[in-house]
Amino acid sequence: MNAPRPLSCWLSTERPDTTPVAWSGERLWRLGQLRNDVATHCAWLQTQKGQRWALCLEESYLFLVALLATLHAGKTPVLPGHARPLQLEEQRALFDGVLSDGPLSWDGPLHIINTHAREDAQPLPAIPDGAGLELFTSGSTGQPKRIHKSLSVLDAESALLTARFAGRLADCRVVASVSPQHLYGLTFRIFLPMSLGLPLHADTLAWPEQLAALDTRSRYLFISSPAFLKHLDTRLTAPDVAMVLTAGGMLHWRDAQHALLWLHIWPDEIYGSSETGVLAWRQRSMDDTPWQPFPGVTFTAENDNWRVTSPLIAEPGGLVLEDALRFTANNHFHLLGRRGRVVKIAEKRISLAEVEQRVLSLAGVRDAAAILITRGTRQSIGVLLVLDDAMRQAWQRASRKQELAWRQALRPWLESVALPRYWRVVDAIPTNTMNKRIDAQLQECFHDHVAR
């Protein structure tokens, strides 16, 4: 396979217009169409004063058009990670307008990205030197944390992945169950196929039946979440999957075995974060297979934490990880769990601090504490509440009805998996002698709380 192309060369005339780029069902987009669509929307963006444009698109071909049009127009793509109108309104200081693949009830500049042939499309301007994009992830305070990714770093990440995996991907098409609005989907669903010249699936796979229904005449690289692999149906006919890449959360051993049973290959797992990019990988044939760092990634012990440096991390001193690690003699490592107040549920990164802020905004709530509750193999959010007298009386009269009302009020602001499932009303949030909240004490409040 040829060397990976940097983003600045994705639309290069070195490849003919007939080169397949993306498909959906019977529809196929070729490179000439992509150049045309990008040029059309680039021309519109060049007429706009706003510099920063939020990309709120799920369909990956249109996302690709929006990404390239924004960059070629000299603008900055911003990945808010969602398309919820109320939250976009709250975050409107973070961008000047929104690019979407459909109408949004958002009171601000909005441009719909579509695909159509135009004979008068103008040549594309070069992408400015030093261009990049911005994305947001949950910070420790509950406020979105801005992360800048230069194109040079994203191209370097694609080169790193190509060196490891390209030999297994010849003639593959790329399908995914993850959104391109987050770094994992952006890296593996957009950058990797475009840099290698592999056609990408425009649609997001939501169900195993869609994976099983893929055209059997093609081979596939499947970009999956661990949660999707958990629900594979071995009664269906498996497609010809050459490789499964999964990241974003822990893949349980039984789910890795389940994937092997159906697809006849072990998934390749990726460890990293939005801040660090990819750090390590593994392909398990036994449960406790350790992680192997990518070339150039170095971990250094720092008190009880680990600091990581990498060619993909802009900060010269590297970053301190939120995870606890245990290293083996050959410099591979095991993950021991997550530190801090950012947790992952079904591969979604959830800030407990943000959940608390949203709950505190509810009428009648005087104090709140959010924690991660584990019941068997299921993880959910639990919330301790301190209520004023009127709300406490309303909750005592109809607790189930009130909890459903709270969830409904939070729905515009929080991911579905971040909506609290367990509610506990207390007189005061438990603290220790130093007035600090201790997770073990908070967990005790839910020990006799039966899930409904």
Side-chain angles (χ1 to χ4, degrees):
M1 185 170 283
N2 296 328
R5 293 178 177 83
L7 182 144
S8 60
C9 297
W10 287 359
L11 300 180
S12 168
T13 55
E14 293 177 0
R15 292 190 296 164
D17 282 349
T18 56
T19 304
V21 171
W23 88 98
S24 174
E26 296 299 317
R27 183 167 189 179
L28 178 68
W29 289 275
R30 300 184 184 274
L31 188 57
Q33 178 73 64
L34 177 61
R35 293 188 183 111
N36 189 299
D37 289 334
V38 171
T40 298
H41 294 289
C42 172
W44 182 87
L45 283 164
Q46 288 178 308
T47 68
Q48 303 301 302
K49 294 181 179 179
Q51 174 63 28
R52 301 159 55 78
W53 289 83
L55 274 54
C56 298
L57 308 96
E58 280 292 336
E59 200 257 39
S60 62
Y61 175 76
L62 294 179
F63 179 95
L64 176 62
V65 171
L67 174 68
L68 290 173
T70 308
L71 290 168
H72 278 280
K75 308 292 186 177
T76 301
V78 178
L79 276 61
H82 65 89
R84 295 186 290 275
L86 287 178
Q87 199 159 359
L88 288 174
E89 184 67 33
E90 186 181 63
Q91 297 173 348
R92 65 183 303 141
L94 303 176
F95 39 79
D96 301 304
V98 172
L99 304 180
S100 177
D101 47 13
L104 287 176
S105 300
W106 183 67
D107 184 21
L110 173 67
H111 181 63
I112 305 298
I113 300 294
N114 51 26
T115 175
H116 51 79
R118 287 190 56 172
E119 299 296 331
D120 59 345
Q122 300 299 308
L124 282 164
I127 297 174
D129 293 338
L133 55 84
E134 292 182 353
L135 52 98
F136 295 87
T137 188
S138 299
S140 59
T141 64
Q143 296 300 316
K145 179 182 178 181
R146 180 182 295 174
I147 300 172
H148 176 80
K149 291 285 181 178
S150 68
L151 296 190
S152 60
V153 163
L154 293 168
D155 287 335
E157 189 170 37
S158 291
L160 196 68
L161 296 169
T162 297
R164 170 61 63 182
F165 301 121
R168 298 157 60 185
L169 301 179
D171 301 320
C172 281
R173 290 185 165 202
V174 179
V175 297
S177 68
V178 297
S179 170
Q181 295 187 44
H182 301 278
L183 188 63
Y184 172 42
L186 178 72
T187 298
F188 290 92
R189 184 175 173 179
I190 303 295
F191 266 78
L192 189 60
M194 288 300 297
S195 64
L196 292 178
L198 303 177
L200 57 90
H201 196 200
D203 305 318
T204 301
L205 301 180
W207 308 102
E209 290 82 0
Q210 293 171 293
L211 182 61
L214 292 172
D215 191 333
T216 57
R217 294 170 295 180
S218 297
R219 298 175 71 241
Y220 301 95
L221 163 62
F222 178 36
I223 310 302
S224 180
S225 67
F228 191 99
L229 296 179
K230 179 183 298 186
H231 299 294
L232 294 179
D233 187 347
T234 56
R235 296 171 297 180
L236 300 173
T237 301
D240 185 3
V241 173
M243 185 176 182
V244 177
L245 279 168
T246 183
M250 178 59 70
L251 177 66
H252 293 291
W253 173 236
R254 63 181 177 276
D255 299 328
Q257 294 174 302
H258 193 56
L260 174 69
L261 177 66
W262 192 49
L263 298 172
H264 308 297
I265 53 171
W266 290 105
D268 285 83
E269 300 172 66
I270 302 294
Y271 170 63
S273 70
S274 299
E275 294 89 342
T276 65
V278 298
L279 295 176
W281 73 282
R282 68 177 179 178
Q283 188 183 51
R284 279 188 283 181
S285 58
M286 59 182 65
D287 189 7
D288 61 349
T289 301
W291 295 87
Q292 178 179 338
F294 281 105
V297 176
T298 302
F299 298 87
T300 305
E302 188 174 287
N303 299 320
D304 293 330
N305 301 316
W306 289 94
R307 181 176 292 274
V308 62
T309 56
S310 161
L312 306 180
I313 299 175
E315 291 81 353
L319 295 171
V320 176
L321 295 177
E322 296 173 345
D323 295 310
L325 313 178
R326 176 172 56 81
F327 277 80
T328 65
N330 61 354
N331 202 39
H332 295 185
F333 63 88
H334 298 274
L335 285 172
L336 303 181
R338 198 163 189 83
R339 302 180 185 276
R341 305 209 64 231
V342 177
V343 299
K344 282 190 176 180
I345 302 177
E347 292 71 59
K348 297 289 187 179
R349 185 177 167 119
I350 306 300
S351 167
L352 296 178
E354 181 183 10
V355 174
E356 288 176 0
Q357 288 182 0
R358 298 302 184 187
V359 172
L360 283 169
S361 70
L362 298 173
V365 176
R366 297 173 56 187
D367 201 0
I371 63 171
L372 181 67
I373 301 293
T374 301
R375 294 286 185 266
T377 61
R378 181 170 186 173
Q379 292 183 311
S380 305
I381 299 297
V383 176
L384 292 172
L385 300 173
V386 178
L387 305 176
D388 65 23
D389 291 340
M391 181 54 70
R392 190 179 183 106
Q393 290 176 15
W395 176 81
Q396 289 173 335
R397 287 194 298 269
S399 60
R400 178 59 173 165
K401 180 179 179 180
Q402 186 59 58
E403 291 166 10
L404 290 173
W406 286 331
R407 282 176 58 90
Q408 189 64 28
L410 295 172
R411 196 172 296 278
W413 305 105
L414 298 175
E415 297 266 10
S416 295
V417 293
L419 293 171
R421 176 178 174 83
Y422 304 103
W423 304 83
R424 196 65 155 167
V425 175
V426 294
D427 295 329
I429 305 296
T431 59
N432 64 7
T433 56
M434 298 297 292
N435 201 36
K436 292 184 177 180
R437 297 176 180 182
I438 306 300
D439 187 78
Q441 291 178 280
L442 302 181
Q443 291 283 351
E444 288 176 359
C445 297
F446 292 87
H447 285 175
D448 62 345
H449 194 53
V450 179
R452 300 173 185 175

